[in-house]
C-alpha cells in the first residue's frame, strides 16, 4: 500500500505510524537481545565485570599516564577492596535478562534511528530527506562513542571512587548485584545519550526551539553542571575530573557550532 503524504495523514494515521515504529524497534531489540545470549559468558565475564578487576584497560592506562606526568603510583589501582553479592532469589536471572536487553538496545540503535528517520522524514524538505545515511551514521557514531566513554571512563572512575571511599575501617564494602548493574546501565546509557546532544540541538534549532544565543547565554551554567557531574563520578583528584569533563565540554561546544550553522541556513532560506 502506498504511504500517505504527511498532509493527507490524520492524527490517527500518525499514531498508527508511531505504533509500528515502536513495534519494529522493540522487535529489533528483542532479536539482538536473543543474539547476545550466545555470547553471554563473554558479555558478563569480560565486559560487564571487567571494570571490577585491577587489570582492566582503563586502570592500566591511567597508571601508565600517572608515571608519565610524574605522579608516580598516585592513581594506580592494585586491588578492588569490595565484593559483589546477590541478595535476591531471582536477582541473577533479572540481571541476565536486563543486560541482554541493554546490549540488544545498543546493537540495534542504528536501526532504531532509521525507523525514527522514516517517521519524521515526511516533515522535512526533499533535500533534507536525502541526508538519511549521514544522519544515521553520525548519530550512531556519537552514540557508540558515548557508550564507550561511559564504559571505559565513567564506570571505572565511579567504581574506583566508591570502592576506596570509607567512612571508617570498620565498614567493609559489599555491593549488591543490582546496585552494580544499575550503575553500569546508567553510565553506559547516559554516556550514549549525552553524546547525542549535537543531533538533538540540530533538530531543536531547526524547529526554532533553541538558538546559538541561548546556548552561549547558558554556557557558564552548562560548564558548572558538567564539572559537578565529573566531580561526582570520579575520585577527588584533578586529573580524573579533567579526563571526564573535557569530552563533555567538547560535545557541548560542538552542539553550539552545529546550532550556529543551522541558524545561519535558516536565515538564508527566509531571505
Amino acid at each position: 500500500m502506498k504511504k500517505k503524504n504527511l498532509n493527507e495523514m490524520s492524527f490517527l494515521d500518525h499514531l498508527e505510524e508511531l505504533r509500528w515504529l515502536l513495534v519494529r524497534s522493540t522487535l529489533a531489540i528483542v532479536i539482538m537481545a536473543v543474539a547476545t545470549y550466545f555470547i553471554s559468558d563473554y558479555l558478563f565475564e569480560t565486559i560487564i565485570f571487567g571494570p571490577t578487576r585491577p587489570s582492566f584497560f582503563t586502570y592500566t592506562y591511567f597508571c601508565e599516564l600517572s608515571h608519565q606526568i610524574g605522579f608516580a603510583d598516585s592513581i594506580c589501582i592494585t586491588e578492588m577492596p569490595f565484593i559483589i553479592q546477590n541478595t535476591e532469589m531471582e536477582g541473577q536471572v533479572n540481571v541476565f535478562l536486563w543486560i541482554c536487553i541493554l546490549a540488544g538496545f545498543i546493537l540495534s540503535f542504528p536501526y532504531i534511528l532509521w525507523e525514527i528517520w522514516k517517521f519524521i522524514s515526511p516533515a522535512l524538505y526533499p533535500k533534507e530527506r536525502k541526508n538519511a545515511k549521514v544522519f544515521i551514521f553520525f548519530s550512531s557514531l556519537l552514540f557508540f562513542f558515548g557508550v564507550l566513554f561511559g564504559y571505559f571512563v565513567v564506570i571505572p572512575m565511579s567504581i574506583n571512587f566508591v570502592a576506596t571511599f570509607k567512612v571508617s575501617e570498620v565498614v567493609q564494602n559489599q555491593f549488591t548485584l543490582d546496585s552494580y548493574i544499575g550503575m553500569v546501565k546508567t553510565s553506559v546509557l547516559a554516556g550514549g545519550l549525552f553524546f547525542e546532544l549535537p543531533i538533538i540541538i540540530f533538530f531543536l534549532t531547526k524547529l526554532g526551539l533553541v538558538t546559538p544565543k541561548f546556548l552561549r547565554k547558558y554556557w557558564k551554567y552548562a560548564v558548572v553542571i558538567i564539572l559537578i557531574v565529573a566531580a561526582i563520578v570520579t575520585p577527588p583528584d584533578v586529573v580524573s575530573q579533567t579526563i571526564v569533563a573535557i569530552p563533555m565540554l567538547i560535545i557541548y561546544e560542538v552542539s553550539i557550532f552545529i546550532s550556529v550553522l543551522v541558524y545561519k541556513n535558516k536565515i538564508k532560506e527566509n531571505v
Side-chain angles (χ1 to χ4, degrees):
M1 184 175 69
K2 186 177 179 181
K3 189 175 181 179
K4 294 183 179 181
N5 184 274
L6 179 65
N7 297 325
E8 301 174 351
M9 295 177 68
S10 67
F11 177 72
L12 292 178
D13 290 328
H14 284 295
L15 287 180
E16 182 67 12
E17 288 290 325
L18 179 61
R19 184 175 75 87
W20 280 108
L21 181 156
L22 295 175
V23 169
R24 290 191 292 267
S25 298
T26 302
L27 185 60
I29 294 173
V30 171
I31 291 173
M32 297 309 297
V34 171
T36 59
Y37 168 79
F38 298 99
I39 58 167
S40 57
D41 289 342
Y42 176 82
L43 177 63
F44 281 92
E45 291 297 328
T46 304
I47 298 179
I48 300 301
F49 294 111
T52 65
R53 303 184 182 98
S55 59
F56 187 64
F57 169 80
T58 302
Y59 305 134
T60 303
Y61 176 77
F62 283 169
C63 186
E64 294 176 356
L65 180 64
S66 176
H67 291 156
Q68 292 175 4
I69 61 179
F71 282 17
D73 294 332
S74 60
I75 56 176
C76 289
I77 297 172
T78 58
E79 64 174 341
M80 288 292 183
F82 67 91
I83 63 171
I84 298 176
Q85 58 181 344
N86 177 46
T87 58
E88 298 179 6
M89 185 174 293
E90 299 176 354
Q92 297 197 54
V93 175
N94 291 333
V95 163
F96 181 86
L97 292 175
W98 278 111
I99 289 299
C100 286
I101 292 173
L102 174 64
F105 174 77
I106 293 173
L107 294 174
S108 61
F109 190 76
Y111 175 78
I112 295 173
L113 286 176
W114 170 248
E115 287 291 340
I116 293 173
W117 180 265
K118 287 196 301 180
F119 181 74
I120 66 174
S121 60
L124 303 176
Y125 293 110
K127 63 178 181 180
E128 293 174 332
R129 296 174 195 167
K130 298 177 182 179
N131 296 326
K133 293 181 180 179
V134 176
F135 165 76
I136 293 170
F137 174 78
F138 281 105
S139 297
S140 300
L141 190 65
L142 287 171
F143 179 76
F144 291 137
F145 273 135
V147 168
L148 292 175
F149 176 74
Y151 179 72
F152 283 106
V153 179
V154 178
I155 291 176
M157 294 291 190
S158 300
I159 291 176
N160 181 38
F161 175 70
V162 299
T164 56
F165 181 85
K166 287 186 177 182
V167 295
S168 171
E169 292 298 326
V170 176
V171 183
Q172 299 297 316
N173 285 323
Q174 297 181 359
F175 305 134
T176 64
L177 181 60
D178 281 345
S179 66
Y180 174 76
I181 295 299
M183 183 269 296
V184 170
K185 290 190 297 184
T186 301
S187 300
V188 168
L189 286 178
L193 295 178
F194 181 81
F195 272 56
E196 290 293 295
L197 184 62
I199 304 299
I200 296 172
I201 293 298
F202 172 85
F203 283 105
L204 290 179
T205 306
K206 290 281 292 182
L207 294 172
L209 299 176
V210 167
T211 63
K213 182 179 179 181
F214 174 85
L215 294 174
R216 289 197 185 100
K217 179 181 178 180
Y218 292 97
W219 182 85
K220 293 181 180 179
Y221 298 100
V223 171
V224 171
I225 292 172
I226 288 172
L227 292 176
I228 291 174
V229 172
I232 291 173
V233 302
T234 61
D237 64 83
V238 177
V239 176
S240 300
Q241 293 170 7
T242 302
I243 290 172
V244 171
I246 287 179
M248 299 174 72
L249 290 171
I250 291 174
I251 288 295
Y252 189 79
E253 288 296 330
V254 170
S255 300
I256 295 177
F257 176 73
I258 289 175
S259 181
V260 170
L261 294 179
V262 174
Y263 191 74
K264 287 182 178 179
N265 287 334
K266 285 186 64 177
I267 293 176
K268 289 180 181 179
E269 291 173 358
N270 294 330
V271 172

